[in-house]
Amino acid sequence: MDREDIVIIGGGLCGLATALALHRKGIKSVVLEKSDKLREGGIALSIVTNGWRALDQLGVASKLRTVSFPVLGFHDIVLDNGTEWRTSASNEEIRTFRRMHLIEALANELPEGTIRFGYQISAITLDPDASYPTIHLHDGTTINAKVVIGCDGAYSRVAECVGLRPIKHYKMSVIRGLTNYPNGHGITEKGLLRIRKGNVIIGRIPMGDNLVYWFLSMKSPSHGSNELKDSNIIKELGVQAVHDFPSETLNMVKQSDINTLHFYNLHYRPPWNLFLENFSKGNVIVAGDSMHLMAPALGQGGSAALEDSIVLARCMANNMLVHGSQNMDWGNATLAFTQFVKERRLRLWWLSLNTHLILCLGEYSSSKVMCLFCIFLITLLFRKPLWDAQYDCGVL
Ligand SMILES: Cc1cc2nc3c(=O)[nH]c(=O)nc-3n(C[C@H](O)[C@H](O)[C@H](O)COP(=O)(O)OP(=O)(O)OC[C@H]3O[C@@H](n4cnc5c(N)ncnc54)[C@H](O)[C@@H]3O)c2cc1C
């Protein structure tokens, strides 16, 4: 059996950010990733002010700013009743960029050998007689770790070990893609345009003069299987969903680059579970989507995962680093995790509640009473635009 000190499961955004945050504090870890190379996990991403604060702490923000595109505001149009409104975001830092830029920026700062590819975890066990968790790999081998941090996303094995309830699914799906306009897209607004008709919402953000990132949310065509893989079917679904939208929007979907299309059924960890559940067990903890999976309605899942990385590394360093040395007091891991959860719970609950209420508007669109109730709660609790961006996770 192999032995390691700190093992992070999952080399996505949260796993890499957590490894880097620990590295910045002088704490060594290894990241086990099931893919055989860095995984993009989607095509583009918007990071909001609170996420940029975390990226600043990680020391990768300035590099990313050079390859990102600012979102200066939101323009919303409802085709059903002809209303439209604009919200300025010029006081916030919202930027969109290719996901791979972020993944690579984090990975490139890690010491060589930190990320191990092709390690698929099948389970984590906590034997009451053994002092540390055991990681079981798909190939039958095991690793004994002193601390396990689960950043393995939506279908987290670590969340199972910790005892979290299964995630739930919405009856909504999202398609994302990029459209390239060789002669320029001609869009002058540097921001997010969202057009809604019935249950369908399409958003687009220009990335430079030729490229447009778009996402399309709609009622799920089917339930059960999470991801549809055939790009031609995905495009067809997208084209059908916006067939009666303005021709410019329809053409954007029709002309999208087939290789950039991704389809997701939307899943979530209910806000009330976030309030009640334990996110750690012994020396095992979850972070990122494994802890607080939410739909992309606020575009905060990634930024919240970056916040997790800063807070977790800070709590571990404060409680586990033996004063004046780089040695760790492994017995204090539970104390560090308790502090981390205490600091994160309320923040994540609010993000998740706001997201859930927005999604419920789509889910219950046929019930006027439910829609009015959701709108009432959103207006009451989340009146301030971009309230979620104000959060500061503090210094590493
Ligand atoms: C359509 C859509 C649009 C979004 N847009 C935005 C946005 O604009 N801004 C934003 O901030 N957020 C956005 N999000 C949310 C954001 O993508 C996630 O919150 C973020 O990727 C979470 O990072 P993570 O590292 O926790 O999980 P993931 O990115 O899912 O990474 C998990 C990693 O773990 C690995 N893994 C999984 N299981 C195992 C295993 N058993 N063994 C080993 N490795 C394993 C996976 O291969 C993967 O690399 C969006 C999400 C969706 C679905």
Side-chain angles (χ1 to χ4, degrees):
M1 186 189 286
D2 282 348
R3 286 176 196 283
E4 295 290 346
D5 287 346
I6 300 175
V7 175
I8 297 170
I9 315 286
L13 192 157
C14 187
L16 296 176
T18 304
L20 182 54
L22 289 171
H23 173 61
R24 298 283 192 232
K25 298 298 276 182
I27 302 173
K28 225 177 123 220
S29 66
V30 293
V31 178
L32 305 184
E33 166 56 45
K34 69 176 177 185
S35 307
D36 53 7
K37 57 179 189 319
L38 286 177
R39 198 178 150 268
E40 196 172 36
I43 195 72
L45 181 79
S46 295
I47 291 291
V48 189
T49 318
N50 52 301
W52 286 102
R53 289 191 183 111
L55 290 170
D56 273 322
Q57 291 299 315
L58 290 169
V60 295
S62 47
K63 213 183 272 177
L64 282 167
R65 285 188 177 102
T66 63
V67 290
S68 63
F69 302 91
V71 174
L72 301 180
F74 309 105
H75 181 185
D76 286 279
I77 300 176
V78 182
L79 293 177
D80 304 294
N81 56 17
T83 54
E84 65 180 286
W85 65 95
R86 285 184 162 81
T87 314
S88 169
S90 54
N91 290 335
E92 301 298 337
E93 182 172 17
I94 307 177
R95 292 170 173 275
T96 305
F97 48 83
R98 284 188 179 249
R99 277 184 179 240
M100 205 41 148
H101 286 309
L102 173 56
I103 295 294
E104 283 174 352
L106 296 168
N108 290 345
E109 293 289 315
L110 289 170
E112 222 174 296
T114 302
I115 314 172
R116 300 187 190 161
F117 294 105
Y119 281 71
Q120 182 162 2
I121 276 63
S122 53
I124 315 281
T125 49
L126 283 163
D127 184 343
D129 300 330
S131 39
Y132 296 123
T134 304
I135 301 166
H136 301 262
L137 292 143
H138 229 65
D139 62 8
T141 56
T142 53
I143 300 173
N144 198 236
K146 291 191 177 127
V147 162
V148 171
I149 304 173
C151 301
D152 48 340
Y155 306 99
S156 170
R157 297 289 184 188
V158 188
E160 276 170 27
C161 158
V162 166
L164 299 191
R165 277 173 223 153
I167 52 171
K168 293 181 175 280
H169 67 79
Y170 292 110
K171 295 178 200 138
M172 304 287 292
S173 303
V174 175
I175 300 175
R176 295 188 281 188
L178 289 176
T179 306
N180 186 32
Y181 297 83
N183 300 320
H185 48 59
I187 300 169
T188 49
E189 253 178 341
K190 277 189 180 169
L192 165 62
L193 170 69
R194 271 182 301 223
I195 308 178
R196 171 193 278 267
K197 185 169 187 191
N199 283 321
V200 179
I201 304 173
I202 185 158
R204 62 141 217 236
I205 301 174
M207 293 173 69
D209 295 332
N210 301 90
L211 208 58
V212 175
Y213 165 54
W214 58 266
F215 52 87
L216 165 56
S217 98
M218 59 192 182
K219 280 259 181 214
S220 293
S222 64
H223 291 306
S225 72
N226 180 38
E227 285 174 29
L228 203 65
K229 299 281 181 206
D230 186 325
S231 301
N232 290 304
I233 298 179
I234 298 175
K235 188 182 258 194
E236 192 44 46
L237 272 174
V239 169
Q240 270 173 26
V242 294
H243 73 277
D244 51 356
F245 276 56
S247 58
E248 179 207 357
T249 306
L250 176 61
N251 289 336
M252 178 176 74
V253 178
K254 274 187 177 165
Q255 289 162 21
S256 54
D257 176 352
I258 200 100
N259 300 313
T260 64
L261 297 179
H262 288 266
F263 172 93
Y264 306 84
N265 282 322
L266 293 179
H267 288 74
Y268 67 109
R269 205 169 279 296
W272 43 97
N273 286 6
L274 277 176
F275 207 64
L276 298 170
E277 290 193 306
N278 286 324
F279 295 102
S280 66
K281 192 172 179 184
N283 283 15
V284 181
I285 181 110
V286 283
D289 273 8
S290 348
M291 182 188 190
H292 48 75
L293 179 68
M294 57 185 103
L298 292 177
Q300 275 284 3
S303 292
L306 293 169
E307 291 172 4
D308 289 346
S309 72
I310 302 295
V311 179
L312 182 54
R314 184 172 63 223
C315 290
M316 287 177 71
N318 288 348
N319 289 285
M320 296 171 69
L321 268 182
V322 178
H323 188 65
S325 79
Q326 291 309 104
N327 296 330
M328 302 288 284
D329 181 348
W330 302 108
N332 273 353
T334 45
L335 188 62
F337 295 165
T338 306
Q339 268 189 14
F340 166 73
V341 173
K342 194 171 166 205
E343 202 171 318
R344 295 301 288 148
R345 196 186 289 280
L346 213 56
R347 161 72 173 158
L348 296 167
W349 145 262
W350 283 117
L351 285 178
S352 146
L353 182 65
N354 193 171
T355 303
H356 187 62
L357 289 172
I358 295 170
L359 263 288
C360 283
L361 280 176
E363 293 269 284
Y364 300 116
S365 55
S366 52
S367 160
K368 261 209 165 122
V369 178
M370 278 307 286
C371 280
L372 284 174
F373 183 60
C374 290
I375 292 170
F376 169 73
L377 286 180
I378 292 172
T379 322
L380 182 75
L381 300 172
F382 305 106
R383 193 171 329 154
K384 198 170 164 211
L386 289 165
W387 67 270
D388 48 302
Q390 317 288 311
Y391 183 85
D392 187 348
C393 61
V395 293
L396 181 58

